[in-house]
């Protein structure tokens, strides 16, 4: 697949690279695995001298040996003996940057914490000592947002205040997914677009896999996911088992329940037979995998919250793939394919609501987007979008079929909204598959 979008991020990286020729720059780029951080950097730095180092979860000695080869191959710096500490290699690079400009990229930077937590202090010491004279473009990438945020924004951490720039690389927006699908399937249907959004959430790697395989319709996308050699069958496990360690089965069970519609802690506690609070907190704060969702304009301290998996692909994986591991082990791929297709229409209704919340936030002049339900879990409104400056807003019912939109019921729900909404001039609207390119 060709390179799409990312013009803003490319501009930022190239501006920083140019600035680093006269003063040391330290950038952090965050984003989930497979979102395209490495591809973006390689594209933005084409023709420039850079070193790419990947932090694998191994011993510091083995990591340094791999780094040594990359450094000597790229910069032709003689390194004698076998380095055993990363601090020695980093000091060597910072010293070299006083005489030659280059970019240093360290990927999965947060995993230094598993290799040797003192490396962060070592980097801080060397950066403070050598950066005033260095001509280096130092870029670190991390796939776990919460950990990267902790490393650089917690005032107790050694690298607090050292960054000169940072940004989060997000999945492709809905407009980019429309552009991609139009290129690969000019005759696509709204259901094809919704399936692409549902399966990938705009994550570049997943979109690339589908497009390169010619999976450009709803049918062929699901066929690709369920074919025997599909990398997506094991993707959820590959991403998360090592992250969760010994407790992975409990975390997986909770994620499966959330993906299946059990979004309240009480429901989850009752099914797994123990307090899920600490696990939910870790999934939210430690791993950024789930989100607390409250009714829009809820009062502070409300307990009327629901949990949702933030990532479209993982939500799909835990809904359809993980619960059927035994079928996959028995190579029942055709049966899995049939099961997904038979349940897809119902499942995609919720994803269509999420699509329109993303789409409205992306394409209209609003400051708040969400949905609403009352304390009894009733009076649900699929989409509310507000402009807090102009005090205007939109409420919408979302249905796959436009004929099933009930405007009378929507008006009743709008009339029953709490008084916090009374300061907004609200209009009502129905949204369906036909409106996906609004």
């Amino acid at each position: 697949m060709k390179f799409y979008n990312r013009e803003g991020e490319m501009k930022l990286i190239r501006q920083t690279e140019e600035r680093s020729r006269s003063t040391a720059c330290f950038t952090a780029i965050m984003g989930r695995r497979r979102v395209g951080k490495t591809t973006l950097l390689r594209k933005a730095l084409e023709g420039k001298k850079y070193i790419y180092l990947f932090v694998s979860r191994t011993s510091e000695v083995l990591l340094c040996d791999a780094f040594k080869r990359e450094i000597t191959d790229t910069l032709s710096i003689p390194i004698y003996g076998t380095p055993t500490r990363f601090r020695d290699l980093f000091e060597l690079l910072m010293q070299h940057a006083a005489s030659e400009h280059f970019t240093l990229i360290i990927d999965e930077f947060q995993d230094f914490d598993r290799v040797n937590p003192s490396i962060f202090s070592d980097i801080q010491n060397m950066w403070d000592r050598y950066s005033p004279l260095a001509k280096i473009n130092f870029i670190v990438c991390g796939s776990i947002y919460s950990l990267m945020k902790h490393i650089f924004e917690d005032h107790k951490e050694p690298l607090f205040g050292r960054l000169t720039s940072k940004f989060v690389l997000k999945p492709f927006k809905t407009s980019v997914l429309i552009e991609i699908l139009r290129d690969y399937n000019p005759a696509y249907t709204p259901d094809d677009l919704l399936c692409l959004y549902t399966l990938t959430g705009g994550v570049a790697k997943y979109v690339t896999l589908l497009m390169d395989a010619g999976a450009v319709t709803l049918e062929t996308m699901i066929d690709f996911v369920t074919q025997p050699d599909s990398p997506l069958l094991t993707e959820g496990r590959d991403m998360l088992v090592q992250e969760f360690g010994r407790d992975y089965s409990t975390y997986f069970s909770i994620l499966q329940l959330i993906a299946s519609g059990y979004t309240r802690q009480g429901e989850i506690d009752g099914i797994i037979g123990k307090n899920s609070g600490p696990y939910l907190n870790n999934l939210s704060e430690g791993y950024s995998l789930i989100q607390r969702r409250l009714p829009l304009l809820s009062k502070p301290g409300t307990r009327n919250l629901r949990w949702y998996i933030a990532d479209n692909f993982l939500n799909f994986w835990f809904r359809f793939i993980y619960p059927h591991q035994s079928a996959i082990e028995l190579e029942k791929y055709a049966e899995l394919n049939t099961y997904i297709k038979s349940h897809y229409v119902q499942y995609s209704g919720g994803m269509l609501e999420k699509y329109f919340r993303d789409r409205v936030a992306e394409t209209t002049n609003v400051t708040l987007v969400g949905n609403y339900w009352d304390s009894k879990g009733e009076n649900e409104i699929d989409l509310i979008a507000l402009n807090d400056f102009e005090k205007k807003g939109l409420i919408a019912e979302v249905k796959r079929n436009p004929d099933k939109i009930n405007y009378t019921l929507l008006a009743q729900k709008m009339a029953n909204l709490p008084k916090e909404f009374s300061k907004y001039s609200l209009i009502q609207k129905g949204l369906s598959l036909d409106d996906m390119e609004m």
Side-chain angles (χ1 to χ4, degrees):
M1 190 177 81
K2 74 177 188 180
F3 189 82
Y4 282 89
N5 197 243
R6 310 303 196 197
E7 289 84 1
E9 293 90 344
M10 294 263 286
K11 183 178 179 181
L12 286 173
I13 293 168
R14 287 169 175 168
Q15 286 177 339
T16 301
E17 195 275 339
E18 185 62 33
R19 189 166 63 249
S20 69
R21 294 176 180 275
S22 57
T23 183
C25 295
F26 190 173
T27 300
I29 301 176
M30 293 164 270
R32 61 106 72 205
R33 285 186 174 93
R34 319 287 199 243
V35 79
K37 299 184 295 296
T38 304
T39 301
L40 169 66
L41 285 169
R42 294 188 187 279
K43 183 73 173 177
L45 296 171
E46 279 181 342
K48 310 293 184 181
K49 180 170 287 190
Y50 66 86
I51 303 172
Y52 175 82
L53 306 178
F54 181 87
V55 181
S56 56
R57 295 173 181 178
T58 185
S59 70
E60 189 172 4
V61 173
L62 293 177
L63 204 59
C64 287
D65 186 56
F67 290 173
K68 171 187 173 181
R69 292 193 297 272
E70 185 66 30
I71 293 168
T72 54
D73 289 346
T74 304
L75 295 179
S76 300
I77 302 175
I79 302 176
Y80 303 104
T82 303
T84 59
R85 300 185 304 175
F86 176 77
R87 62 165 292 148
D88 297 329
L89 291 177
F90 189 67
E91 181 174 25
L92 186 68
L93 290 168
M94 292 299 295
Q95 289 172 338
H96 185 77
S99 58
E100 180 184 14
H101 172 266
F102 62 94
T103 294
L104 169 63
I105 301 169
I106 300 182
D107 204 353
E108 297 299 346
F109 184 74
Q110 78 281 338
D111 282 345
F112 271 139
D113 188 57
R114 296 179 182 242
V115 177
N116 178 0
S118 68
I119 287 175
F120 299 126
S121 295
D122 295 335
I123 291 174
Q124 176 246 312
N125 290 332
M126 297 303 153
W127 183 260
D128 291 349
R129 182 184 306 178
Y130 294 106
S131 62
L133 297 177
K135 303 176 186 68
I136 188 170
N137 184 27
F138 183 27
I139 302 174
V140 299
C141 301
S143 60
I144 302 179
Y145 175 77
S146 53
L147 294 183
M148 290 289 286
K149 192 171 185 290
H150 174 73
I151 290 167
F152 292 107
E153 297 184 18
D154 188 329
H155 71 279
K156 297 179 182 178
E157 295 300 306
L159 290 175
F160 174 78
R162 284 355 187 247
L163 293 178
T164 54
S165 63
K166 64 179 178 181
F167 64 87
V168 178
L169 187 64
K170 297 183 178 180
F172 292 138
K173 293 182 178 181
T174 59
S175 57
V176 180
L177 290 179
I178 292 170
E179 178 188 357
I180 293 171
L181 198 53
R182 186 177 292 137
D183 285 348
Y184 283 84
N185 178 15
Y188 74 88
T189 68
D191 240 333
D192 297 333
L193 175 59
L194 179 58
C195 189
L196 180 62
Y197 173 83
T198 297
L199 293 182
T200 71
V203 174
K205 180 62 176 179
Y206 306 148
V207 176
T208 300
L209 285 171
L210 292 172
M211 296 302 103
D212 287 351
V216 296
T217 65
L218 186 158
E219 289 281 332
T220 56
M221 289 180 205
I222 295 177
D223 289 347
F224 177 85
V225 172
T226 56
Q227 65 190 28
D229 62 344
S230 173
L232 300 182
L233 287 176
T234 60
E235 175 71 357
R237 183 179 296 274
D238 294 343
M239 284 180 63
L240 299 176
V241 165
Q242 281 192 323
E243 298 291 348
F244 295 152
R246 291 179 300 175
D247 284 338
Y248 87 87
S249 61
T250 300
Y251 283 113
F252 273 39
S253 296
I254 291 171
L255 289 168
Q256 179 186 340
L257 289 171
I258 295 173
S260 299
Y262 299 96
T263 59
R264 297 179 177 88
Q265 181 180 340
E267 296 174 320
I268 297 170
D269 289 353
I271 295 172
I272 68 172
K274 58 181 173 181
N275 178 18
S276 63
Y279 297 96
L280 292 168
N281 186 66
N282 284 341
L283 286 168
S284 173
E285 304 299 327
Y287 298 105
S288 302
L289 289 174
I290 63 174
Q291 294 175 340
R292 295 179 178 88
R293 189 178 296 170
L294 299 169
L296 206 64
L297 300 187
S298 295
K299 295 179 180 179
T302 181
R303 299 176 63 86
N304 187 18
L305 66 85
R306 297 175 178 178
W307 292 98
Y308 292 87
I309 298 177
D311 187 276
N312 284 15
F313 171 78
L314 288 176
N315 196 77
F316 177 87
W317 194 86
F318 278 103
R319 170 64 180 83
F320 289 109
I321 306 300
Y322 177 65
H324 301 103
Q325 293 298 298
S326 58
I328 293 170
E329 290 172 4
L330 293 175
E331 301 182 354
K332 303 297 183 181
Y333 303 110
E335 289 81 356
L336 177 62
N337 182 287
T338 299
Y339 176 82
I340 293 174
K341 288 178 179 176
S342 66
H343 290 79
Y344 174 79
V345 170
Q346 179 182 9
Y347 176 77
S348 68
M351 295 309 299
L352 186 62
E353 295 176 20
K354 187 173 187 289
Y355 174 91
F356 277 117
R357 287 193 287 270
D358 287 350
R359 185 72 178 158
V360 167
E362 180 184 333
T363 61
T364 63
N365 186 23
V366 296
T367 58
L368 289 170
V369 177
N371 54 343
Y372 178 82
W373 60 92
D374 64 22
S375 58
K376 297 180 180 179
E378 302 171 350
N379 199 43
E380 295 201 33
I381 298 176
D382 299 329
L383 187 156
I384 303 180
L386 305 174
N387 184 316
D388 213 32
F389 299 114
E390 299 177 2
K391 301 303 177 185
K392 296 179 180 179
L394 162 75
I395 73 165
E397 181 173 344
V398 178
K399 296 290 186 184
R400 287 176 52 89
N401 185 345
D403 295 335
K404 293 187 177 182
I405 296 173
N406 189 331
Y407 290 97
T408 301
L409 181 59
L410 182 60
Q412 293 174 357
K413 291 179 178 180
M414 185 168 71
N416 289 326
L417 285 169
K419 62 181 181 180
E420 286 81 8
F421 289 91
S422 61
K423 59 184 177 182
Y424 297 93
S425 174
L426 299 173
I427 61 171
Q428 66 178 41
K429 190 171 184 177
L431 296 170
S432 70
L433 281 171
D434 297 340
D435 303 300
M436 289 187 69
E437 295 188 38
M438 62 177 286

